[in-house]
Amino acid sequence: MVENRPILNIVSHIVLILGIAIVALPIWITFVAATHDAVRMTQAPIPLLPGSHFWENFQQTLWGSGLSGTEIAPVWRMLLNSLAMAMMISLGKIAISLISAFAIVYFKFPFRMGFFWLIFITLMLPVEVRILPTFEVVADLGMLNSYWGLSVPLIASATATFMFRQVFLTIPDEMLESARIDGAGPMRFFWDIVIPLSRTNIAALFVILFIYGWNQYLWPLLITTDTDMTTIVMSIKQMLEAAEQSPQWNIIMMTALLAMIPPVFVVVAMQKLFVQGLTETDK
Amino acid sequence: MLKRVHFPSSLLPYLLVAPQIAITLVFFIWPASQAVYQSFLIEDAFGLSTEFVWFENFELLFEDDIYLATFGRTIFFSAAVAILSMSMALILAGFADRVVRGATAYRTLLIWPYAVAPVLAGALWVFMFNPTLGIFPYILDFVGVDWNHYLNGNQAMALVVFASAWKQIAYNFLFYLAAMQSIPRSVIEAAAIDGAGPIRRFKDFIFPLVSPTTFFLLVINAVYAFFETFGIIHAVTQGGPANSTTILVYKVFNDGFVGLDLGGSAAQSVILMVLVIAMTVVQFRFVERRVQY
């Protein structure tokens, strides 16, 4: 604080609270919609204060048939699918980026820079610009409607490799020298020195990648046709379509709430790691 | 780049890079080269024969008024999303930087929309603006605005811009706040001693000093609006009404998977690839500069 201006302080707090209100309004309306019964949610104007049907909706959404009159998987099954996809994508990205960054930083071998640039190129090829041919590759490999198909094509990561490269470059050379004097081979050095030293970076990256994986939409939409493989994020779109015939906004909004709770929880609970991960990967 | 002390060459480093390289080749390089190849082909209506036509697909695209309109619309959409969400974030960060008490609490409450999937953000906004049930059409009705984004193209565009900008405020806010907090206090204090009030300090010191962040965020927001808003548009408008919210990425998807125009869709993919490469180059040149700054 540079100077004491009580009025400006009050204005600051008011503006920030207004900002939070704008940011939180869509979620509040979603929450309120999830606490009323289906009949109330067909009468305009929709309520702005919570009702008393939260647990009813919660149980019907999670364990019951969910939205009646549609052929979609039960919500608990979709949550499991999303969890599996998010975990496979985030852990897979971290694993393969760790070992490739280790190879590029700690080994001198032919084509080292060639491999580095090849990984770099993936940054310029988001899935949106190569959807059709990538879909064909996955179909030819028989990976449609499987967890492998959902995760493996997404786990190459230039940003994660770059981040680990930066981290490894800050590890003092003396570490390796003394490890070698003590007779440690490359993999021993990797497990006992490199991994423990990059622990917080791995955790920070995990937070970002978990959100990235959980929120995937276009890719699962293309490669899953089997309702058992639907992810929770995808199901919202199907429910919105069904809503045009039979609006059950309480169930749809409860599903939306369930779909956003895990990644939002990760961000709020691990806020420090989240901020670190976001600024380190720069994207 | 390479450690001064390192391990000698052996089979091991190749095994270590193998998984990453294999996935890159199979799921990135090969499909991308297929997209480039297909963009030179035209398939007949029955998919029986294909003909190699060099740049005819691209020529057709650039003569196509619908495609050119989509291009212009995408640029408008990106600019609107970037300006709306960055200015909101700048204002909030400016005030949050001043506040001593509760700064962390404000940050926590402002950052979590980052974790909401684009398609979910779309679902929330489409519910709030539902013409028969939504809370906003109900309010707008009192001031004489008849809201129906299923029929009115401008309203549909406004809705996807709101939803996209809303989701991005968190990201922009975090980067602006970090940039403002890294400005040396002595600079601001010196300005205050010389008699510059809070508005003057913001205009002449804080805003210019965070301009590298502004530029960085412009690129990031453009990439976001170009590529990551697919879910929002798919949930809110499906590109309609009458293509009024179809942006480039949505058109690639629509022409390829719904319209099954392989050559045209591939040519559009290639144009998008060129755009991503350009944006990535700008971003990286900037990141290098920021290190010196």
Side-chain angles (χ1 to χ4, degrees), chain B residues 66 73 239-247 254:
Chain B
I66 295 176
R73 191 180 303 122
N243 283 335
S244 58
T245 52
T246 302
I247 62 166
N254 217 28

Side-chain angles (χ1 to χ4, degrees), chain A residues 1-244:
Chain A
M1 173 93 59
V2 179
E3 77 246 275
N4 191 18
R5 286 177 187 250
I7 294 174
L8 189 61
N9 285 344
I10 294 169
V11 171
S12 302
H13 284 286
I14 291 173
V15 171
L16 285 167
I17 290 166
L18 273 177
I20 289 168
I22 293 170
V23 165
L25 182 69
I27 310 290
W28 175 252
I29 293 198
T30 308
F31 170 72
V32 169
T35 60
H36 285 273
D37 59 13
V39 178
R40 180 65 189 86
M41 293 313 297
T42 55
Q43 299 157 356
I46 52 162
L48 287 175
L49 292 172
S52 55
H53 295 264
F54 182 82
W55 285 110
E56 228 174 286
N57 291 335
F58 182 75
Q59 282 171 343
Q60 197 197 332
T61 308
L62 198 56
W63 308 112
S65 52
L67 207 60
S68 58
T70 50
E71 282 182 30
I72 51 178
V75 167
W76 64 266
R77 168 88 212 201
M78 296 193 284
L79 283 168
L80 273 183
N81 287 342
S82 282
L83 183 67
M85 178 176 76
M87 292 305 277
M88 282 173 82
I89 289 176
S90 47
L91 296 179
K93 267 184 190 264
I94 288 171
I96 68 169
S97 302
L98 266 176
I99 55 177
S100 48
F102 179 66
I104 284 167
V105 172
Y106 278 103
F107 288 87
K108 188 174 186 178
F109 58 105
F111 307 117
R112 195 175 124 266
M113 286 312 284
F115 289 134
F116 181 76
W117 287 113
L118 203 58
I119 297 168
F120 181 80
I121 288 175
T122 61
L123 205 61
M124 303 184 179
L125 300 170
V127 68
E128 287 82 2
V129 308
R130 52 185 169 82
I131 32 181
L132 260 176
T134 315
F135 172 80
E136 281 163 14
V137 169
V138 173
D140 289 343
L141 292 173
M143 282 165 46
L144 296 181
N145 289 316
S146 73
Y147 287 133
W148 298 113
L150 279 174
S151 56
V152 173
L154 300 177
I155 68 175
S157 177
T159 39
T161 311
F162 286 176
M163 198 202 83
F164 285 129
R165 198 195 112 219
Q166 297 294 356
V167 173
F168 296 168
L169 287 175
T170 63
I171 298 176
D173 287 350
E174 288 75 14
M175 290 279 191
L176 178 56
E177 280 169 350
S178 55
R180 290 178 83 178
I181 290 169
D182 289 347
M187 288 325 281
R188 182 69 194 268
F189 177 69
F190 179 70
W191 284 115
D192 289 354
I193 309 278
V194 172
I195 297 277
L197 282 177
S198 2
R199 225 172 28 212
T200 37
N201 304 87
I202 294 173
L205 194 62
F206 175 80
V207 172
I208 301 294
L209 293 179
F210 180 83
I211 297 165
Y212 165 86
W214 182 277
N215 288 346
Q216 281 302 314
Y217 177 64
L218 177 59
W219 184 244
L221 185 71
L222 297 181
I223 72 150
T224 57
T225 46
D226 187 347
T227 49
D228 273 350
M229 293 302 297
T230 316
T231 65
I232 187 86
V233 169
M234 273 170 72
S235 73
I236 295 299
K237 174 73 176 88
Q238 295 164 342
M239 289 189 174
L240 283 180
E241 269 165 20
E244 281 161 23

